Amino acid sequence: MFGSLHRRARHSIPLVAAGLLIAGLATATPAAAAPLAALTQHVNPFIGTDNSNSPNPVPGGAGGSTYPGAVVPFGMVQFSPDTPTASPSGYRYSDTKIEEFSLTHFNGAGCANNEDLGILPVTGNLSSSPGTNWTGYAGTYTKASESASPGYYKNRLDTYDTGVELSATKRTGFMKLTYPGTTSARVLINSSRSATGNRSGSIAINGSQLTGAFTGGGFCGSSKTYPLYYAIQFDRAPTGFGTWLGGTVTAGSASASGVNSGGYLTFDTSTNSVVQLKVGISFVSVAGAQANLAAENAGFDFAGVRSAADTAWNDVLNRVQATGGSAADLQKFYTALYHVFQNPNIASDVNGQYRGFDQTVRTASHTVYQNYSGWDIYRSWASLIALLAPAESSDIAKSMVLDGQQGGLLPKWSHNSQEIFVMNGDPGPIVVSSMYAFGVRGFDTAAALALMDKSSNGGTTQGGSIRGRQSGYLSRHYVTEDPSDSLEYSGSDFAVAQFAKAVGDTAKYNTYMTRAQWWANVYNPESGYVQKRNADGSWAWPVTPGSPSGYTEGNASQYTWMVPYNFGSLINLMGGPKTAVQRLDHHFTQLNGGLSQPYFYIGNEPEHGVPWAYHYAAYPQGTSAAVRRVMTESFTTAAGGLPGNDDLGATSAWYVWSAMGMYPPTPGSDVLALHGPLFPSITVNRPGATVQITASGAGPSAQYVQGFSRNGTSSTRTWLRYGDISGNTTLNYSMGSSPSTWGTNAADVPPSYNDGFAPPPAAPALGTNLALGKPSTASAPCADTEAAAKAFDGSLSGKWCSLATGTKFLQVDLGSAQNVGSVVLKHAGLGGETTGFNTGAYNVQTSTDGTNWTTVADVSSVRASRSYHQFTQRQARYVRLNVTTPTNNGNTAARIYEFEVYAQ
């Protein structure tokens, strides 16, 4: 159990009791009128600090990669321990050794990063140089000694019998050390070592004050670096000091510079065991670091800094007041909300200076933010932060525009003042468009649109192109190298179109909506998947839905659903809502399937919006069931409680939205899909407005919406727009444990956007499947679990398979003669197998007596994953499939996942 680990020392009641107490207090007084609740008590910073259960995650994506150390909302400093096996996060819960406490960390990135300026308390002589044996000084600890809460971390290094406490302000860190009585209590400061290697740094010691520079960078293999400047102040004078460079330690030396450099201070703790230090950092100058320290952390009041950090977090967490849930659900929710507010990070000093994307020191009148995990955060984080933090989001949007004006384009995946070009697509426009759609204003929209347009017209940033495949994309209307990259380009084009429309540029709207619809050029109706398309227009064959080959961190099964702005047309291409629902049900066989299985993968962002695809098939119960399963099974309160990298708050944002009962399924737009909240009462506190969400009957086993109203007006529509909740709003749900008819009409579905192309015709409404659950016979099955009945159970979870010699048959008895006008066959590809196993040749026959047969369809040389055969309506009791060529790749087993019969 990790619950007890994050409590403050002053609390002695168990977490469960504390959680229920807080929930009870919050419930007793209406949230809108109540003082701020003590919501930091629900946060467990250890959630996400160890591996999840994904069977084949993306590299570096096995765990949440979160850190437990001290940070305030959007803080420049993230003061946290680093452990031996923790890359890429810095810290792994299962480790019991700490190598250092460093000043910078990313919340959940997938590559080794940061860990700048390591500080380590030790005792005794320096037997070897920390410059060449830094990890030799690591200290061990026991888990019972460790605790953390927002803005605070505590541990004890048993190796040195030394207690460590950390806290932080926006731009400074605070360390309180409690040594044993000794004359050799030392603090080591490493000015060279980071998570990505050792680089040149410097240190200068002047009594109780230290200053210097550090070179960080190297994120995800990049050669780019950035300077970090620091100023450290101790609360008393040392009894000794020294520096090291490489393998040489020089006692009494006051300065050192170069690779593998650092320094130390020695203290006599015989009569006073406590040594305190505070450190300010800056990406501009030592003077900036000193000014940050003076402005934010003037004294040595550790308790005061810790309390202020707790207050800062409590203020942010109270923007969403959830009450009535279990202690575990409250802990998951508020820990997720805590993670959402850790990035991006403040990059400007207290005087407004910051390092721009042209590497020039500049001054801004607003807070400047940097560090954008664009590919991850555009899907739901951007809209959530816009909803909950509109003032901060305005400065974030301003900062992104500044980055583009100084570097060349809106940032893609940036690390401080450097564009790293990690991942694919062009996410910057989606982030800005999503924030604008959710009410963020106060930034230069004309400049933003110009930067979006520039990216599609040969623009570069810091010497590199974000859309490196744009030329081929424009000439062919798809990206041939990677179908997932093609979808990313089209998704970004959709966001640009929506932003252009919102700011009144009709010409750009038309241009970019046309490009947005190029998603259809990488959807192959024959295979039923988004897949690789060759430059000559032909399709690669066969398709293995679970194979990640040729996709960016995903596979065909997963990426096929990444058309969130036109699910309607995608569903029609698939054959209609019934087929879409079957495919989604099959997809959710697993919830965190990783890269190489044809199932849902909550641990990586491309599929975060897929549960809401059910909404577009007028089947909201599928969404509700899938979302609640993921929330329950893939998110826990354990150290491995995040299903994959948090990716600077992206995964946590998914959980926050899901628990609130709504989700932004269409990045770049203002649409919110509704599925019902986890908690009976949620109050969203926004500047000048409150959104009150109530849900009668809500709870862990009541995931289905029975009814919904907004401001007292009932609605069966399963979606809202941001404008519907931008002012004072009341959303009322009735929840239940069984599905209802709410939202099941075609008119209830969220909007799909068809401007820019001629959408596919609506799939025929076939009505009732007459063969569902009816008696069946067939050729001998491949296995007992693959008998004929599997083809008539309405599910893609199993199949009929036969290796019988000669023609293989599959037959259903409808029970009586009735009108029959079409059949649908669902082949191996829709069951997640290679499309090479799709049936190659067959005929379909009908009969009234089981003896005399009429052939109604006869096909050969086919390889489709789904076959629809309509014929002149006739009376029939029996319908038979005769397979003459079992596959299109030479395999001899016939495979049919579903055999459906319809009257029309």
Side-chain angles (χ1 to χ4, degrees):
M1 294 296 292
F2 300 90
S4 62
L5 299 175
H6 79 285
R7 286 183 281 116
R8 288 186 167 194
R10 68 172 183 265
H11 291 297
S12 58
I13 58 177
L15 173 65
V16 171
L20 293 175
L21 176 62
I22 296 300
L25 289 173
T27 303
T29 304
L36 297 183
L39 298 179
T40 53
Q41 301 307 307
H42 295 301
V43 175
N44 180 354
F46 294 105
I47 291 176
T49 59
D50 223 320
N51 286 352
S52 70
N53 61 355
S54 179
N56 182 24
V58 298
S65 294
T66 61
Y67 60 87
V71 65
V72 298
F74 304 118
M76 180 186 289
V77 166
Q78 309 89 37
F79 208 174
S80 191
D82 299 324
T83 66
T85 70
S87 182
S89 66
Y91 172 93
R92 187 185 302 280
Y93 183 84
S94 54
D95 284 343
T96 55
K97 184 179 287 188
I98 291 176
E99 296 179 340
E100 65 190 3
F101 301 89
S102 62
L103 273 295
T104 60
H105 297 82
F106 277 155
N107 170 44
C111 294
N113 62 86
N114 293 298
E115 301 176 37
D116 298 336
L117 196 67
I119 302 174
L120 183 67
V122 301
T123 57
N125 295 325
L126 301 184
S127 57
S128 61
S129 172
T132 53
N133 187 33
W134 179 258
T135 58
Y137 288 93
T140 60
Y141 73 97
T142 59
K143 301 310 291 187
S145 299
E146 186 178 43
S147 61
S149 61
Y152 178 69
Y153 176 85
K154 181 180 182 180
N155 209 335
R156 182 172 192 80
L157 299 182
D158 295 334
T159 305
Y160 305 111
D161 194 21
T162 297
V164 180
E165 295 176 82
L166 308 176
S167 193
T169 70
K170 291 178 180 178
R171 300 170 178 87
T172 79
F174 205 148
M175 175 180 264
K176 181 178 180 181
L177 304 171
T178 304
Y179 287 97
T182 178
T183 59
S184 62
R186 308 186 198 277
V187 179
L188 311 181
I189 297 96
N190 196 321
S191 56
S192 288
R193 183 178 187 265
S194 76
T196 57
N198 294 0
R199 299 180 184 85
S200 182
S202 67
I203 189 168
I205 303 171
N206 181 13
S208 61
Q209 299 185 44
L210 290 77
T211 56
F214 185 96
T215 304
F219 180 61
C220 275
S222 171
S223 61
K224 293 184 177 182
T225 61
Y226 56 82
L228 180 147
Y229 303 92
Y230 64 92
I232 302 176
Q233 185 173 346
F234 286 81
D235 65 346
R236 56 167 148 153
T239 57
F241 58 87
T243 64
W244 65 79
L245 183 63
T248 302
V249 178
T250 305
S253 168
S255 65
S257 62
V259 179
N260 298 325
S261 63
Y264 66 91
L265 271 64
T266 304
F267 297 90
D268 184 347
T269 56
S270 300
T271 58
N272 179 5
S273 62
V274 175
V275 174
Q276 297 184 104
L277 68 93
K278 54 187 182 179
V279 52
I281 66 171
S282 166
F283 297 103
V284 172
S285 64
V286 167
Q290 292 171 322
N292 291 341
L293 190 59
E296 293 185 1
N297 205 343
F300 282 93
D301 181 8
F302 186 88
V305 169
R306 177 185 172 185
S307 178
D310 181 84
T311 297
W313 276 113
N314 212 49
D315 289 348
V316 164
L317 297 178
N318 269 273
R319 297 182 188 188
V320 186
Q321 295 176 320
T323 58
S326 69
D329 287 337
L330 287 167
Q331 186 178 125
K332 288 194 290 185
F333 180 77
Y334 281 108
T335 302
L337 191 58
Y338 164 77
H339 284 141
V340 163
F341 278 91
Q342 289 186 9
N343 295 100
N345 304 108
I346 295 168
S348 53
D349 294 338
V350 291
N351 65 359
Q353 287 190 323
Y354 69 99
R355 186 171 300 276
F357 267 50
D358 56 0
Q359 306 310 310
T360 298
V361 174
R362 298 171 173 273
T363 302
S365 59
H366 61 87
T367 301
V368 173
Y369 295 86
Q370 292 175 351
N371 297 330
Y372 300 102
S373 177
W375 185 80
D376 308 288
I377 63 173
Y378 82 69
R379 303 168 199 273
S380 65
W381 178 92
S383 51
L384 181 63
I385 210 73
L387 178 71
L388 301 181
E392 295 92 333
S393 296
S394 177
D395 285 344
I396 291 170
K398 287 179 184 176
S399 300
M400 292 183 71
V401 172
L402 285 178
D403 296 344
Q405 291 173 322
Q406 296 158 12
L409 298 172
L410 293 172
K412 180 179 185 178
W413 213 128
S414 60
H415 188 187
N416 295 324
S417 58
Q418 297 284 11
E419 177 55 62
I420 309 300
F421 300 101
V422 178
M423 301 308 297
N424 59 337
D426 187 9
I430 314 179
V431 173
V432 173
S433 180
S434 291
M435 289 196 294
Y436 188 88
F438 276 76
V440 171
R441 301 295 186 267
F443 65 98
D444 190 336
T445 56
L449 182 58
L451 289 166
M452 294 176 187
D453 189 52
K454 182 181 176 184
S455 186
S456 296
N457 290 282
T460 62
T461 185
Q462 294 185 351
S465 173
I466 285 178
R467 288 192 173 213
R469 294 165 170 167
Q470 181 71 3
S471 176
Y473 176 71
L474 288 178
S475 64
R476 289 184 300 268
H477 299 180
Y478 61 92
V479 172
T480 187
E481 296 89 346
D482 180 346
S484 53
D485 208 15
S486 198
L487 291 183
E488 294 286 356
Y489 282 20
S490 298
S492 186
D493 287 341
F494 170 79
V496 175
Q498 299 308 301
F499 187 72
K501 183 177 182 180
V503 300
D505 193 326
T506 302
K508 284 191 176 63
Y509 169 76
N510 291 332
T511 294
Y512 282 95
M513 273 307 298
T514 297
R515 295 180 183 180
Q517 303 299 358
W518 293 348
W519 67 268
N521 295 329
V522 289
Y523 177 85
N524 183 357
E526 187 177 37
S527 70
Y529 288 98
V530 164
Q531 64 170 99
K532 179 177 174 59
R533 192 170 191 178
N534 301 317
D536 63 2
S538 63
W539 299 94
W541 197 269
V543 178
T544 302
S547 171
S549 178
Y551 299 84
T552 300
E553 295 190 0
N555 56 48
S557 180
Q558 294 161 358
Y559 268 105
T560 292
W561 297 104
M562 211 187 83
V563 192
Y565 54 89
N566 209 340
F567 275 133
S569 288
L570 177 67
I571 288 170
N572 280 327
L573 286 173
M574 287 181 170
K578 286 186 178 181
T579 295
V581 168
Q582 285 180 335
R583 292 187 65 172
L584 286 165
D585 288 346
H586 177 265
H587 198 57
F588 284 97
T589 299
Q590 292 186 26
L591 301 182
N592 204 21
L595 296 179
S596 57
Q597 299 189 63
Y599 303 124
F600 184 65
Y601 183 16
I602 182 59
N604 207 24
E605 282 72 19
E607 286 213 286
H608 277 191
V610 174
W612 290 270
Y614 281 109
H615 269 45
Y616 295 79
Y619 195 73
Q621 70 185 61
T623 296
S624 296
V627 169
R628 193 60 59 89
R629 278 184 61 210
V630 173
M631 292 175 66
T632 301
E633 299 175 30
S634 298
F635 290 81
T636 74
T637 58
L642 290 183
N645 290 161
D646 203 38
D647 286 319
L648 281 64
T651 303
S652 288
W654 186 97
Y655 189 90
V656 172
W657 276 121
S658 297
M660 291 199 302
M662 50 189 171
Y663 187 85
T666 313
S669 81
D670 63 350
V671 172
L672 281 168
L674 308 176
H675 60 271
L678 174 64
F679 301 102
S681 177
I682 300 172
T683 303
V684 180
N685 296 302
R686 308 182 70 243
T690 299
V691 181
Q692 181 64 54
I693 305 169
T694 61
S696 62
S701 61
Q703 68 264 46
Y704 298 107
V705 178
Q706 309 296 302
F708 168 76
S709 67
R710 173 184 170 273
N711 292 341
T713 301
S714 296
S715 174
T716 59
R717 199 175 73 171
T718 60
W719 59 283
L720 297 171
R721 293 194 183 276
Y722 164 74
D724 295 324
I725 62 169
S726 60
N728 288 322
T729 309
T730 299
L731 306 179
N732 294 109
Y733 294 85
S734 174
M735 303 296 294
S737 58
S738 300
S740 72
T741 59
W742 178 81
T744 56
N745 293 321
D748 294 327
V749 305
S752 291
Y753 297 79
N754 280 305
D755 284 0
F757 84 140
L766 299 177
T768 301
N769 175 11
L770 304 177
L772 181 63
K774 297 299 174 63
S776 56
T777 56
S779 304
C782 300
D784 291 343
T785 57
E786 298 175 327
K790 283 291 184 179
F792 302 100
D793 63 1
S795 167
L796 295 174
S797 62
K799 63 178 181 289
W800 166 70
C801 174
S802 178
L803 280 165
T805 57
T807 299
K808 303 164 181 62
F809 78 94
L810 177 63
Q811 181 177 315
V812 62
D813 178 356
L814 303 181
S816 63
Q818 48 195 294
N819 288 331
V820 172
S822 65
V823 297
V824 174
L825 300 172
K826 292 168 181 174
H827 306 276
L830 294 196
E833 297 189 84
T834 174
T835 59
F837 289 162
N838 289 346
T839 316
Y842 57 88
N843 63 66
V844 178
Q845 298 178 313
T846 65
S847 174
T848 57
D849 57 10
T851 301
N852 299 295
W853 296 91
T854 302
T855 300
V856 294
D858 191 358
V859 295
S860 60
S861 301
V862 293
R863 57 184 192 179
S865 295
R866 178 185 183 272
S867 304
Y868 168 56
H869 300 288
Q870 188 174 31
F871 44 85
T872 302
Q873 193 179 68
R874 66 196 58 240
Q875 284 276 297
R877 175 173 176 172
Y878 304 95
V879 184
R880 180 184 179 107
L881 171 71
N882 299 300
V883 178
T884 54
T885 305
T887 64
N888 59 82
N889 67 357
N891 189 275
T892 57
R895 299 165 175 85
I896 297 294
Y897 276 78
E898 279 299 296
F899 185 0
E900 300 168 352
V901 180
Y902 297 96
Q904 301 179 44

